Amino acid sequence: MEKFLIAFLVGGGICVIGQLMMDVLKLTPAHTMSTLVVAGAVLGSLGLYEPLIKFAGAGASVPISSFGYALVKGALGEAERTGTIGVLTGIFEVTSAGISAAIVFGFIAALIFKPKG
């Protein structure tokens, strides 16, 4: 039960930060999302995001900030194995499943519902 509470509080805290960015700083949702991805990438490159994931579990691995962390982790890991080209291939290797799922489910939702614009 304690793990669920920690995950809820950390994930909720990340969401509160995003909501405050939109309400107080008047950032658009796109700017807020980009900022959270970059923050996750920076924290990941400094080695601070992985301990947060170990502490909070899904509370840190589900929000959009973990996407930035995954990008950096994949790029750095593959760069160590294969060199400079690994920076590009590592990004795609780690995040391809999530990106593919977003595209497929977005397409299905567009077929079912009537998107505007």
Side-chain angles (χ1 to χ4, degrees):
M1 186 67 172
E2 181 182 324
K3 289 182 181 183
F4 293 118
L5 181 62
I6 291 171
F8 175 77
L9 292 175
V10 171
I14 293 170
C15 293
V16 166
I17 290 169
Q19 191 65 50
L20 288 173
M21 290 169 64
M22 289 189 287
D23 292 345
V24 175
L25 301 177
K26 304 294 184 200
L27 294 178
T28 66
H31 286 106
T32 301
M33 184 173 63
S34 298
T35 302
L36 289 173
V37 169
V38 169
V42 170
L43 291 173
S45 67
L46 296 174
L48 300 174
Y49 205 84
E50 190 162 344
L52 182 63
I53 289 176
K54 288 181 181 177
F55 172 72
S61 63
V62 171
I64 190 71
S65 54
S66 70
F67 183 71
Y69 163 73
L71 290 172
V72 168
K73 183 178 178 183
L76 293 178
E78 195 64 24
E80 287 178 7
R81 286 190 293 268
T82 62
T84 306
I85 194 69
V87 172
L88 292 176
T89 60
I91 288 171
F92 295 121
E93 184 177 320
V94 172
T95 60
S96 61
I99 294 170
S100 298
I103 292 169
V104 168
F105 290 121
F107 178 74
I108 291 170
L111 290 176
I112 295 171
F113 303 102
K114 296 183 190 274
K116 296 178 182 177

